[in-house]
Amino acid sequence: QSVLTQPPSVSAAPGQTVTISCSGSLSNIGNNDVSWYQQFPGTAPKLLIYDNDKRPSGTPDRFSGSKSGTSATLGITGLQTGDEADYYCGSWDSRLSSEWVFGGGTKLTVL
Amino acid sequence: QVQLVQSGPEVKKPGASVKVSCKASGYIFSTYGITWVRQAPGQGLEWMGWISAYNGNTMYAQKLKGRVAMSIDTSTSTAYMELRSLRSDDTAMYYCARDKSKGWPTASDHWGQGSLVTVSS
């Protein structure tokens, strides 16, 4: 059971918009920044969004991040078949055993 | 360009130790941190810990404390992760990644290719 909760899967058609949620608590998302990672099968994860809403160079502006309270959201507009991948959110968790935590991951299917 | 090149696959018996290396290039090693993440077959990402390449400070996942040790060699810009008392559920792909901060675990912006560790009798 992951500390950050993501839907196991989402799907949408090419060209549409999809959002992936990441729900946490005050000890993590509520008081710390969120980052998002994209992972294709058999490859290493890639940073998509950091500090809640910042895009590293190389991340298309079709990808956006937002945070409100103890939840964060990754948005993808103009879906492409090449966006089909697993997406993970992550944040620092400052409970007793302070450590970084990831969500369980969301499989995006582009129909 | 920033590159992290990890050591090759390992097969270990239960109870043994494994040490994975991660050689960095293309940036000033001591100005960032290194994060280690593992992924069991078909599972999600699991954070193992972080080490500052600036001063060697470490932070480990509670679950692995006592079995994991991370270190750096600034002379060769290489980070190491050693996991002891291996069990079958340690079988996973192990990734190193450059952390954007040298002072605290934050986001990881460049990743190694992964090192597969298989634990089997």
Side-chain angles (χ1 to χ4, degrees), chain A residues 1-2 39 45 86 88 102-106, chain B residues 37-46 89 91-93 95:
Chain A
Q1 196 79 349
S2 302
Q39 185 180 34
D86 293 323
Y88 295 89
F102 285 106
T106 299
Chain B
V37 172
R38 69 179 181 178
Q39 187 171 35
Q43 302 301 309
L45 303 177
E46 179 184 11
D89 62 356
T91 293
M93 185 69 80
Y95 294 103

Side-chain angles (χ1 to χ4, degrees), chain B:
Chain B
Q1 74 282 21
V2 174
Q3 274 196 306
L4 298 169
V5 178
Q6 299 184 224
S7 49
E10 303 260 15
V11 179
K12 296 290 184 180
K13 293 196 182 307
S17 298
V18 68
K19 193 169 187 176
V20 179
S21 67
C22 170
K23 183 169 177 57
S25 62
Y27 71 97
I28 301 173
F29 184 66
S30 60
T31 58
Y32 292 85
I34 294 287
T35 287
W36 290 89
V37 172
R38 69 179 181 178
Q39 187 171 35
Q43 302 301 309
L45 303 177
E46 179 184 11
W47 185 81
M48 300 181 68
W50 167 95
I51 182 166
S52 169
Y54 174 70
N55 56 20
N57 283 351
T58 54
M59 294 185 188
Y60 298 135
Q62 181 68 26
K63 173 183 174 181
L64 297 173
K65 271 181 186 171
R67 287 207 301 138
V68 68
M70 295 174 188
S71 58
I72 53 170
D73 181 344
T74 53
S75 68
T76 59
S77 299
T78 302
Y80 299 92
M81 185 284 300
E82 182 177 28
L83 190 60
R84 302 180 286 268
S85 302
L86 287 169
R87 309 189 289 247
S88 57
D89 62 356
D90 290 318
T91 293
M93 185 69 80
Y94 288 75
Y95 294 103
C96 66
R98 188 183 80 166
D99 195 289
K100 292 175 71 64
S101 169
K102 66 177 186 285
W104 191 262
T106 61
S108 297
D109 60 358
H110 288 87
W111 293 66
Q113 83 278 17
S115 299
L116 181 62
V117 175
T118 303
V119 183
S120 173
S121 54

Side-chain angles (χ1 to χ4, degrees), chain A residues 54-80:
Chain A
K54 295 182 176 59
R55 284 187 299 272
S57 60
T59 296
D61 58 8
R62 300 187 297 106
F63 293 87
S64 64
S66 64
K67 186 180 94 166
S68 178
T70 59
S71 292
T73 302
L74 174 70
I76 312 173
T77 60
L79 268 178
Q80 301 175 1

